[in-house]
Amino acid sequence: PKGKGPQGRRITLKVAKNSVRVAFNGRRRLDLSKMGIATFPKCILELADVEELDLSRNMLKKIPNIIEKFQNLMWLDLHSNQIDELPATIGTLRSLTYLNLCNNKLKDLPEELTLLRNLRTLNLGLNCLETVPTTLGRLRELTELGLFDNALTIIPKSVKKLPKLEKLNVKRNPLPEFAEEEEPIDTVKRIESLYLVEKKDLCDSCLQTCQGERDELHKLEDVTPGASNKPSFPSLVTPNSSARDNQEEWRMK
């Protein structure tokens, strides 16, 4: 009906059958990515024995309960849709090792997600998650977990301590440990002003200060790479030019 958003492309069984490919690992993959699909096509239930299903980069808002029919699925890619909720039946896909839900509109996760005990890669980045259930720590086969670009303020210890976890991406979340990070200290001392004067015109304290600054500059020369060992200031006015001609006025300033 009109006024309820885009209807999307209608996928027929013929189109779906022509979209089945054999992946490099020998599995059959049903690739319906970038098809402009707005509603989960029920016709693909005829192909529910595939091992991989790619519905990424479409306009899907809901994944229906009938996803449970795909019991052979080991790889499921749903990234870059508009999904705001997952069905509880997602937990019945016990063979899943890869699940990509990145770039959707998920605000929470069903408890049944923790039943996917064979899951090794789970990408939940770029969603609207404010919390992650502690029960996610039951996914003990996880090696990669993406939680970046959400609204998380805490990562449960049970998740951080997953025994096989190798990659945990939590970047760009309002986590306290990131908020408290201080800005990096610039160890290179920047010169904001430079005054030219003859050594005989300096008092003892000023001369001592200048000598200290000169020693610091020599230290920087030792650690700063460059073609020349001596600092070069080509744009500065030398003491033998206009500075000497206007010494009286210059000293007053």
Side-chain angles (χ1 to χ4, degrees), residues 1-207:
K2 295 181 179 180
K4 291 192 176 181
Q7 296 301 301
R9 178 181 174 184
R10 182 173 178 270
I11 299 298
T12 64
L13 181 57
K14 181 179 180 179
V15 170
K17 285 182 176 180
N18 290 334
S19 299
V20 176
R21 302 284 185 271
V22 178
F24 70 92
N25 52 18
R27 301 174 190 164
R28 291 191 307 146
R29 177 182 297 182
L30 176 53
D31 187 352
L32 296 176
S33 63
K34 297 180 286 187
M35 290 277 197
I37 304 170
T39 305
F40 190 91
K42 294 182 179 180
C43 68
I44 67 174
L45 290 177
E46 298 288 334
L47 303 169
D49 59 341
V50 296
E51 291 88 11
E52 300 188 358
L53 176 59
D54 189 347
L55 286 166
S56 65
R57 300 173 186 172
N58 283 295
M59 300 180 290
L60 294 170
K61 293 184 177 180
K62 301 288 182 184
I63 300 299
N65 285 322
I66 55 176
I67 193 69
E68 66 182 345
K69 300 295 183 180
F70 292 80
Q71 285 298 304
N72 291 337
L73 276 187
M74 302 177 70
W75 191 93
L76 178 58
D77 195 343
L78 298 170
H79 87 267
S80 300
N81 280 282
Q82 301 173 29
I83 302 169
D84 56 12
E85 185 180 1
L86 290 175
T89 53
I90 193 77
T92 66
L93 306 179
R94 304 296 176 84
S95 297
L96 272 185
T97 61
Y98 175 95
L99 178 57
N100 191 349
L101 291 160
C102 177
N103 194 20
N104 278 286
K105 297 183 178 181
L106 293 172
K107 294 183 178 180
D108 48 41
L109 303 171
E111 184 73 20
E112 290 77 8
L113 189 66
T114 61
L115 298 175
L116 304 178
R117 301 297 173 84
N118 290 311
L119 209 56
R120 295 173 186 169
T121 299
L122 176 60
N123 193 344
L124 296 166
L126 284 165
N127 276 284
C128 307
L129 298 173
E130 295 183 359
T131 59
V132 173
T134 57
T135 50
L136 211 62
R138 296 175 185 170
L139 303 179
R140 302 181 67 80
E141 295 298 316
L142 270 186
T143 59
E144 297 184 30
L145 176 58
L147 295 171
F148 54 91
D149 292 288
N150 278 285
L152 302 173
T153 56
I154 188 172
I155 306 297
K157 290 182 179 179
S158 60
V159 173
K160 292 180 179 179
K161 294 182 178 181
L162 282 166
K164 297 185 179 181
L165 196 62
E166 298 175 358
K167 295 181 181 179
L168 174 61
N169 190 344
V170 296
K171 293 180 179 179
R172 294 177 295 278
N173 279 284
L175 295 166
E177 53 259 47
F178 291 119
E180 293 174 3
E181 284 185 358
E182 297 181 356
E183 293 185 3
I185 299 174
D186 188 354
T187 56
V188 179
K189 191 171 184 178
R190 308 297 176 181
I191 299 175
E192 298 179 356
S193 302
L194 183 65
Y195 301 96
L196 301 177
V197 65
E198 293 187 18
K199 184 177 179 180
K200 64 182 179 62
D201 295 322
L202 293 173
C203 64
D204 291 340
S205 60
C206 291
L207 181 59

